Amino acid sequence: MTDWVEADPGVRRRVLSEAPDLMLVEFAFEAGAEGKLHRHVHVQGTYVAEGRFTFTLGDETHDLSQGDTLVIPSNVVHGCVAHGPGRLIDSFTPRRDDFL
């Protein structure tokens, strides 16, 4: 497990575990914080461990709360907004080397 690093204003992340083909990352959000719109080649799975979020996935929005999941395909523009404090557990395949 790595130390916490700032990902975006009000958003911290830490790598929980990693291998070349898979990575697990925890994100902690303050209320109102945003995971800014972005894209990457990795397929991403998101699990809402705590809180409520609105995710933008391409042209769609999804309201997710504790226990919900979402898969984000490769190269799809996506981001999220936290409606209160919250935590996400994200998986990436392959590993996000830029997080190491």
Side-chain angles (χ1 to χ4, degrees), residues 4-14 26-36 53 80-82 86 88:
W4 288 101
V5 297
E6 185 173 342
D8 283 313
V11 182
R12 299 178 304 148
R13 74 168 183 254
R14 65 180 174 172
E26 180 180 11
F27 288 85
F29 286 75
E30 296 175 5
E34 296 183 37
K36 295 179 183 170
F53 295 84
C80 67
V81 176
L88 302 174

Side-chain angles (χ1 to χ4, degrees), residues 46-49 51 53 55 63-70 88-89:
T46 296
Y47 170 76
V48 180
F53 295 84
F55 277 82
D63 291 321
L64 302 180
S65 58
Q66 187 172 352
D68 290 337
T69 62
L70 182 69
L88 302 174
I89 305 296

Side-chain angles (χ1 to χ4, degrees), residues 27-87:
F27 288 85
F29 286 75
E30 296 175 5
E34 296 183 37
K36 295 179 183 170
L37 290 174
H38 65 286
R39 73 172 73 202
H40 44 72
V41 299
H42 313 83
V43 175
Q44 177 179 338
T46 296
Y47 170 76
V48 180
E50 295 176 355
R52 291 186 319 108
F53 295 84
T54 296
F55 277 82
T56 299
L57 184 62
D59 294 333
E60 301 176 356
T61 59
H62 303 270
D63 291 321
L64 302 180
S65 58
Q66 187 172 352
D68 290 337
T69 62
L70 182 69
V71 172
I72 301 165
S74 176
N75 287 312
V76 172
V77 174
H78 61 282
C80 67
V81 176
H83 296 286
R87 286 187 314 115

Side-chain angles (χ1 to χ4, degrees), residues 2 4-5 12-18 23-28 45-47 87-92 96 99-100:
T2 64
W4 288 101
V5 297
R12 299 178 304 148
R13 74 168 183 254
R14 65 180 174 172
V15 175
L16 299 176
S17 59
E18 54 87 13
M23 173 182 266
L24 292 175
V25 180
E26 180 180 11
F27 288 85
T46 296
Y47 170 76
R87 286 187 314 115
L88 302 174
I89 305 296
D90 287 354
S91 62
F92 297 95
R96 295 275 313 250
F99 284 5
L100 296 175

